[in-house]
Amino acid sequence: MISYEYPLNERIRTLLRLEDLYAKIAHFLGGDAPQDHHVALLTLFEVLEVAGRADLKVDLVQELERQRQILISFRHNPEISEQALSGALYEIEQASSSLLAMAGKIGQYLRENEWLMAIRSRASIPGGVCQFDLPSYHYWLNRDPEQRRGDLEGWLRPMIPIREGLTIVLRLLRASAQPERQLARGGTYQLTMGGRGAQMLQLRLAPAEAVVPEISANKYAINIRFMLSETVVRPRLAERDIPFEITFCSL
């Protein structure tokens, strides 16, 4: 099954974007080629951009505390494993402590690094990081891979608490509800929310259906159109019934 996620508010949209960026950094950080570490560094700049747009740290701490209080209420419930509950509480408390220990604006230490900011500025220009533009960066890219990796890990490390916090919040969000089987008749599906609260939609489709969902939603209604995947130039509605699963995720 292919899973598609659609955020219903700006906070979840930011968390999903950051989750994707952290995953890309982890992937390219594991490589040894200069190109791998170049992409990892540019992706770190994207994390800096996205995480700096809102008071993300406060939002994560507040949500983790809310989830901690919910989990505490399950203590002494015979249907809940005390060991699993204690483990979840410990993980949340550790993530909250790490977030609270972050001083100042997210990524400020990167903004104060003139060498990195010069690379970031040139990277916004097509082909702007060629060796003749940034010879010192070219030298860095030709250093030993382990040295480059060590630098990248050092620049990333202070922002790891953000990754740990959002990982917990998104995991709890995804596990908050069960999928419902639905049928999009003629390739379209509409639903009035009717007071049903949700922060994210999750759609699951069989790859064999060969369609891509186009989702528009707000707190009042959801509209989904399933488009044929092969019509890249001019998207065309799949005018047939499409079975799919939908989950209304909410914390």
Side-chain angles (χ1 to χ4, degrees), residues 14-15 18 50-51 54-61 106 162 166:
T14 297
L15 296 186
L18 285 171
V50 176
D55 202 351
L56 182 64
K57 184 175 73 173
V58 173
D59 285 346
L60 284 173
V61 169
I106 295 173
I162 297 293
L166 71 86

Side-chain angles (χ1 to χ4, degrees), residues 144-194:
D144 182 80
E146 287 303 321
Q147 291 179 311
R148 293 197 308 266
R149 186 176 294 107
D151 288 340
L152 287 165
E153 288 174 347
W155 296 327
L156 176 64
R157 192 173 299 115
M159 289 199 287
I160 290 299
I162 297 293
R163 186 190 68 186
E164 293 174 343
L166 71 86
T167 296
I168 294 172
V169 170
L170 289 177
R171 185 174 70 233
L172 293 171
L173 179 64
R174 289 171 176 135
S176 65
Q178 294 296 317
E180 304 172 10
R181 292 184 178 180
Q182 299 291 346
L183 186 67
R185 299 192 180 280
T188 64
Y189 175 82
Q190 293 179 321
L191 177 69
T192 301
M193 294 297 282

Side-chain angles (χ1 to χ4, degrees), residues 209-220:
E209 294 293 342
V211 293
V212 178
E214 286 189 355
I215 305 170
S216 60
N218 54 41
K219 62 182 179 180
Y220 302 110

